[in-house]
Structure formats: C-alpha cells, structure tokens
C-alpha cells in the first residue's frame, strides 16, 4: 500500500455510508447512505464531481448496483422497496414497493432481463425487469441474505446467508440447484474464482471456506488467517482477491497456494462494509463507519500480471525460435546425409563400368570360369598325350619349340624329355601370363571397392595404424 501515490480524493458524507458501487463502463461511483440518500460522483485523480443526488427511499438504502451498460442504477431499501433510476438524469424508471415481506438487505444485477433481491428473513427473489414483476421466489435460508454473485457461464446465482449455508440457483428454474450443509458459522461474502472451478466464502471467524464448483455439499478447503470477520470479498484475478475485514484492513489474498500478499488499504480499525473494483481495474473503493468512501490504487497488481504475461510470451517465443532452429539444423543434417548417400550411389554407379568387357567382378569371374581353356586349346592336347607312346605330333611340337629356343633343343639332341619338354615349359609359361592378368583384374576390383567405400577403408586403416602404434 502506497499512501503517497496519486489517487482520487475520498468522498466524505454527513451520514454513514452503507454500500458503494462502480459503473462498469465509465468513471462513476455510486454511494448509498443510512438516510436513504443516493449519490453518484464522477471521480478523477484531480477532482470529483457530483452527478446525481437523490432520496429514492424513506429508510436506509442498504444496497445498490449498476446495470450491465451502466445506464441504470438499482437500489434496495429497508422500506422493502427496490427501484431503478437513470444515471444521467436521476429520474426513476422502475419501482417495486413491498417487494418482500421483510426489509431488503441486498440487490444484484443478473442480466438485462433479471435482477435479484434478498431480505432479512433469507428469501431470495428474481424479478423480470421488462414486465416489472416477480419471476421466482426461493426460501431455502432461515436468516438474512448477506451476499450474492452471478456466475454467467452456468447461469447460476450463488447466495450466502447468516444461517451458515451457501445456496445455488439456476435463474431459469423455480427450484434451487443446490444448498450446502451448515458451516457452523455465518457466511458473509462470496466470490467465484479459478475460472469458475472454485467458490470462496468469508466467515465471521475470519476463515475463508473454499467449495469446489458443483460440489456444494461442504467445503473442500479452508484458509484461516483473518483476525476478525470477512465482511466483503472483491475478486481481482482468478487467483487474487481483496477482502474487507472488521479490523479495517483491505488484504490482498492469493489462492492455490494460499497466502497473504499484502495490504491494499486501512480504515483505521473501523469495520469495512464493502470493497469494489473499478471498470479499468485501476482503483478500489471501500466504505466504512467513518462516513467516507476511500479510493486505493490497485493497478500495480495488473501491471505485474501483464509483465508476467509478457515474460511468459517472450519465453514461449524463445522456445518456438529454438525449436525452429533445431528443426532447421535437423533438416540440414538430413540434407547432408541424403547428399552423401547420393554421392555414394553415384560412385557405385561409376564402379559398375565394364572392366575388360565385364560389367563387374562377378561377371568377370563368371566369364573366366565359363571359358577357362578358350585361349590355349593346345595345352589340353599336350596334357592327354601318353608318355610311353611318342607320336609325330609330339615331335612337331618339339621342332616348334626348337625354333623358339635352340639352347634347349641342343641339350636333348632333338628328342626332348618327357618330364621336361619344351611343351611343358610353354605350358608352364602361359598360366603365369594368365595369373598376371588375373592379378591386374584383382587390383582393379580392389581399387573399385575402395572407391565405393572410402569411409570403411579409412576406418580400417586407422584401426590398423592404432593397433601397430600400440605394440
């Protein structure tokens, strides 16, 4: 709480103020007095201007509220009447006398067709504004109606009572939706929080009871901490509320986890009758027994909320950007792998080019195995000749060898040796030439494999070097 902060000046009256309400659309605040007078002021940081002054009721005006568009002001009185007045002119537009059998305690705007009222005996009534007559009447409570709140998503009207019960009404039906068990203490105030999942009530012993929405049989949680009764609850956010207590303090309370955040205002030990929030969420207004309506700056709560939202959005944006960068990197890595695979496929395609008329090593081996003797048919004839039956063919072969190598012919006198003839030497020479050609093909095949798998070859070489280096 900052007492030095600029804020509208307090509104001072000659009589005690019972209720206060903000317009939902403009900078107007309405106040009701114990004398039955009603005032409407235009508030500002610089100065306040009175717009309407009137006395619509003979007895004390106990409750008031604005319509949804801010054009009408509804008031309820101890004289058992309620009325609607034009905010701009102050003229009365609707009036219902003897609306209840007992004095009215409360009036609540529901929607453009319905307003709700509650009296000292616990009776709750819904009124059709267009037809200006009663729609439904409920008598579930046996003590005064202390507070009401309308939950629009469910079309439920929730009411607290001095008998210790919370009642829930569907405004479209004549019977109550649900009534809670007695909480063994007076319920003085109510608010719907946590996106409609929780309902919090203020009790006379300073405890805040918490109901789970839809399970109104009994409270599911309790939050003690206030030294005296909680007479008013004003919702700030889904997790924050301001409470007005009999000790005069306006406390900012957080739910889930439950804790006290700070103090928004102080009425110097005088009981707080009502606390409300302005339409722009900048000011709180509260009234007490000091004949004054005070304004309190509460905008910093929402500024902090905005900063948290901005920080959260920035963090989300950062995470999104990082995710996009990761996706781009993944895409680049995939592209690189695909490029390497394509290059490898190209190398394999190049390695399939014919070597000496063969498309690959398999075809080469097949060709060699299919025609192993195609190039030297005379070797077979030599191999099948019998050593003990010399023939003219053998001599002819010897003569041909003598022409190629005279030194060998002189050593065997032209006859040759069956174990070491010139035919045998020719036979031994030709396979050597064939083996040399096979070795060349094997080298080519090895080189082709090395080109097709350079990474594995390099890995094997590296491992081999590392192995020998460690010896």
């Amino acid at each position: 709480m900052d007492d030095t902060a600029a804020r509208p000046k307090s509104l001072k009256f000659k009589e005690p103020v019972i209720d206060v309400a903000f317009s939902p659309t403009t900078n107007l605040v309405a106040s009701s007095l114990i004398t039955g007078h009603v005032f409407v002021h235009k508030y500002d940081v610089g100065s306040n201007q009175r717009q309407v002054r009137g006395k619509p009721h003979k007895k004390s005006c106990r409750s008031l509220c604005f319509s949804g568009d801010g054009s009408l002001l509804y008031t309820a009185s101890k004289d058992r009447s309620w009325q609607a007045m034009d905010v701009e002119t102050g003229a009365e537009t609707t009036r219902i006398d003897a609306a209840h059998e007992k004095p009215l305690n409360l009036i609540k705007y529901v929607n453009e067709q319905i307003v709700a009222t509650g009296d000292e005996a616990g009776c709750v009534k819904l009124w059709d504004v267009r037809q200006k007559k009663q729609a439904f009447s409920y008598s579930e409570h046996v003590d005064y109606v202390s507070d009401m709140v309308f939950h629009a998503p469910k079309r439920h009207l929730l009411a607290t009572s001095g008998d210790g019960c919370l009642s829930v009404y569907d405004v479209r039906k004549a019977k109550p939706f649900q009534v809670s068990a007695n909480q063994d203490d007076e319920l003085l105030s109510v608010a719907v929080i946590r996106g409609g999942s929780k309902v919090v009530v203020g009790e006379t012993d300073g405890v805040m009871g918490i109901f789970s929405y839809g399970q109104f049989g009994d409270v599911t949680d309790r939050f003690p901490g206030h030294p005296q009764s909680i007479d008013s609850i004003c919702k700030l956010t889904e997790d924050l509320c301001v409470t007005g207590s009999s000790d005069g303090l306006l406390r900012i309370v957080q739910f889930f986890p439950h804790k006290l955040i700070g103090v928004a205002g102080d009425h110097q030990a005088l009981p707080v009758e009502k606390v409300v929030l302005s339409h722009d969420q900048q000011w709180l207004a509260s009234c007490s027994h000091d004949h004054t309506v005070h304004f309190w700056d509460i905008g910093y709560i929402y500024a902090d909320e905005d900063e948290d939202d901005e920080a959260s959005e920035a963090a989300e944006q950062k995470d999104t950007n990082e995710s996009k960068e990761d996706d781009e990197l993944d895409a680049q890595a995939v592209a690189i792998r695909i490029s390497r695979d394509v290059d490898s496929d190209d190398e394999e395609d190049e390695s399939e080019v014919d070597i000496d008329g063969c498309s690959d090593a398999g075809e080469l081996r097949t060709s060699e195995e299919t025609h192993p003797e195609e190039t030297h048919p005379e070797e077979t004839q030599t191999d099948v000749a019998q050593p003990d039956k010399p023939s003219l063919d053998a001599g002819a072969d010897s003569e041909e060898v003598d022409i190629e190598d005279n030194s060998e012919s002189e050593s065997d006198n032209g006859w040759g040796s069956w174990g070491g003839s010139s035919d045998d030497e020719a036979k031994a020479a030709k396979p050597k030439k064939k083996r040399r050609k096979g070795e060349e093909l094997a080298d080519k095949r090895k080189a082709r494999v090395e080109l097709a798998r350079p990474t594995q070859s390099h890995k094997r070489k590296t491992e081999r070097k590392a192995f020998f280096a460690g010896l």
Side-chain angles (χ1 to χ4, degrees):
M1 181 180 65
D2 187 3
D3 294 334
T4 63
R7 55 183 177 176
K9 293 182 179 180
S10 300
L11 302 175
K12 295 183 179 181
F13 301 94
K14 295 181 180 180
E15 300 294 336
V17 182
I18 299 178
D19 198 7
V20 61
F22 276 114
S23 169
T25 57
T26 59
N27 290 355
L28 294 177
V29 59
S31 308
S32 63
L33 276 59
I34 195 172
T35 59
H37 287 85
V38 174
F39 292 86
V40 178
H41 288 82
K42 185 176 182 179
Y43 62 90
D44 197 359
V45 175
S47 62
N48 300 321
Q49 297 179 358
R50 189 173 69 187
Q51 302 291 319
V52 176
R53 179 185 183 276
K55 189 179 180 182
H57 302 286
K58 297 178 181 179
K59 296 183 179 180
S60 62
C61 183
R62 292 180 172 178
S63 179
L64 51 75
C65 63
F66 282 90
S67 62
D69 58 3
S71 61
L72 298 176
L73 180 66
Y74 296 96
T75 61
S77 173
K78 184 181 178 180
D79 62 9
R80 301 189 299 144
S81 68
W82 68 268
Q83 72 142 23
M85 62 180 292
D86 188 282
V87 173
E88 292 185 359
T89 63
E92 180 183 289
T93 60
T94 303
R95 186 176 183 88
I96 304 294
D97 292 318
H100 287 245
E101 296 180 0
K102 298 294 182 179
L104 272 68
N105 264 0
L106 195 64
I107 189 167
K108 186 70 177 180
Y109 174 81
V110 175
N111 53 42
E112 62 277 3
Q113 300 176 3
I114 300 173
V115 294
T117 56
D119 63 22
E120 289 182 351
C123 180
V124 175
K125 291 186 178 183
L126 300 181
W127 300 87
D128 190 330
V129 176
R130 297 173 299 178
Q131 298 183 7
K132 300 180 181 180
K133 67 178 184 180
Q134 175 183 311
F136 300 115
S137 178
Y138 310 97
S139 300
E140 274 61 46
H141 296 293
V142 296
D143 206 343
Y144 67 95
V145 178
S146 58
D147 196 9
M148 290 190 292
V149 63
F150 180 63
H151 184 49
K154 297 288 187 179
R155 294 190 179 183
H156 285 171
L157 179 69
L158 295 87
T160 53
S161 173
D163 62 5
C165 296
L166 170 70
S167 58
V168 184
Y169 308 98
D170 189 329
V171 298
R172 300 164 294 182
K173 299 180 180 180
K175 294 183 178 180
F177 177 76
Q178 197 170 355
V179 179
S180 74
N182 194 302
Q183 302 300 307
D184 299 327
D185 198 2
E186 296 182 13
L187 304 185
L188 305 178
S189 51
V190 61
V192 180
I193 60 173
R194 302 285 290 179
S197 63
K198 300 292 181 180
V199 177
V200 57
V201 296
E203 303 178 8
T204 56
D205 60 0
V207 175
M208 304 187 78
I210 302 173
F211 292 86
S212 293
Y213 205 97
Q215 302 176 10
F216 298 108
D218 200 357
V219 295
T220 57
D221 200 358
R222 294 171 65 84
F223 179 21
H226 291 72
Q228 299 183 32
S229 63
I230 305 170
D231 300 318
S232 180
I233 298 177
C234 176
K235 177 181 174 180
L236 297 180
T237 67
E238 297 300 332
D239 301 319
L240 296 178
C241 290
V242 172
T243 61
S245 180
S246 294
D247 62 357
L249 293 180
L250 304 179
R251 294 176 173 86
I252 303 174
V253 178
Q254 176 180 308
F255 298 95
F256 303 100
H258 309 331
K259 61 181 178 180
L260 176 66
I261 300 299
V263 176
D266 187 1
H267 282 270
Q268 304 299 323
L270 295 176
V272 178
E273 294 290 338
K274 190 67 174 290
V275 55
V276 290
L277 178 66
S278 65
H279 71 97
D280 58 359
Q281 301 178 331
Q282 183 64 39
W283 313 107
L284 291 174
S286 60
C287 60
S288 182
H289 295 175
D290 55 1
H291 304 187
T292 304
V293 174
H294 293 279
F295 295 91
W296 315 96
D297 185 8
I298 200 66
Y300 62 89
I301 293 291
Y302 299 95
D304 293 342
E305 291 284 338
D306 293 339
E307 291 178 0
D308 293 341
D309 292 341
E310 291 177 359
S312 178
E313 291 177 359
E316 291 178 358
Q317 184 64 31
K318 182 179 179 181
D319 294 340
T320 302
N321 294 337
E322 291 179 353
S323 178
K324 289 181 178 179
E325 292 178 359
D326 292 341
D327 293 341
E328 292 177 357
L329 292 175
D330 293 341
Q332 292 176 3
V334 171
I336 292 172
R337 288 197 296 270
I338 292 175
S339 176
R340 289 178 177 176
D341 293 341
V342 171
D343 293 341
S344 176
D345 293 341
D346 293 341
E347 291 177 357
E348 291 180 359
D349 293 341
E350 292 176 0
S351 66
E352 293 179 358
V353 177
D354 292 348
I355 300 178
D356 295 337
C358 299
S359 61
D360 56 14
E363 293 183 4
L364 182 61
R365 287 193 298 270
T366 303
S367 176
E368 293 175 355
E369 293 174 357
T370 305
H371 307 285
E373 302 172 355
E374 192 171 313
T375 56
H376 306 285
E378 66 278 7
E379 294 177 5
T380 304
Q381 298 176 359
T382 306
D383 293 336
V384 299
Q386 297 295 329
D388 55 345
K389 294 181 180 180
S391 64
L392 296 175
D393 292 338
D397 291 340
S398 300
E399 292 176 358
E400 292 176 0
V401 174
D402 291 340
I403 296 172
E404 294 177 1
D405 191 355
N406 295 326
S407 61
E408 294 181 0
S409 177
E410 292 177 356
S411 61
D412 57 11
N413 298 322
W415 183 256
S417 173
W418 292 107
S421 65
S422 60
D423 290 338
D424 294 337
E425 293 177 357
K427 179 181 176 181
K430 290 182 179 180
K432 289 182 181 180
K433 182 178 180 181
K434 183 176 181 180
R435 284 196 298 272
R436 287 197 298 273
K437 184 176 181 180
E439 291 176 358
E440 292 176 359
L441 294 177
D443 293 338
K444 290 181 180 181
R445 287 196 297 272
K446 183 177 180 181
R448 183 185 61 187
V449 172
E450 292 296 331
L451 289 174
R453 294 183 294 178
T455 303
Q456 296 180 1
S457 176
H458 177 71
K459 182 177 179 181
R460 289 194 298 270
K461 291 179 180 179
T462 304
E463 293 176 352
R464 190 180 298 109
K465 291 180 180 179
F467 173 79
F468 285 108
L471 295 178

